[in-house]
Amino acid sequence: MAQILVEDLDPIILEKLETLAKQHGRSLQEELKHILQQAAETATHYHTSGDMEQAREAVARAQVRYTGKTFSDSAELIREDRER
């Protein structure tokens, strides 16, 4: 199994991590493993098709909601704001 060395870790962060470990009934090493696993799973899920499917559904809902509506040119509104 791989080992990781983290150098120059802020003592305050280390203290907070130790506190988290105690709160969760884990050793510092177990807590760090847990945090890294969660971060990796979150990052992996973010880049999977599950999120893309949700994004596509949101876009489809927005398209239906705004179909046939016209909107003013925001550039003109911004220009008017600047001239005040």
Side-chain angles (χ1 to χ4, degrees):
M1 210 167 274
Q3 293 183 355
I4 298 174
L5 173 66
V6 180
E7 296 184 27
D8 300 323
L9 187 62
D10 186 330
I12 294 171
I13 292 175
L14 180 59
E15 193 175 308
K16 289 178 180 181
L17 289 168
E18 288 171 337
T19 300
L20 276 174
K22 284 181 185 177
Q23 289 174 351
H24 297 133
R26 301 181 181 123
S27 68
L28 179 58
Q29 182 176 355
E30 289 171 330
E31 186 67 22
L32 291 171
K33 280 181 176 179
H34 180 75
I35 291 169
L36 290 171
Q37 286 171 344
Q38 282 185 319
E41 288 172 11
T42 300
T44 303
H45 179 71
Y46 179 74
H47 294 288
T48 61
S49 62
D51 285 340
M52 278 304 286
E53 188 58 36
Q54 288 177 350
R56 285 188 184 106
E57 289 171 4
V59 168
R61 286 192 304 271
Q63 287 174 332
V64 168
R65 182 176 180 186
Y66 296 112
T67 297
K69 295 185 179 181
T70 54
F71 299 94
S72 62
D73 183 4
S74 60
E76 188 171 327
L77 295 173
I78 292 170
R79 193 175 304 112
E80 288 175 11
D81 241 10
R82 288 181 181 160
E83 290 174 357
R84 288 186 210 175

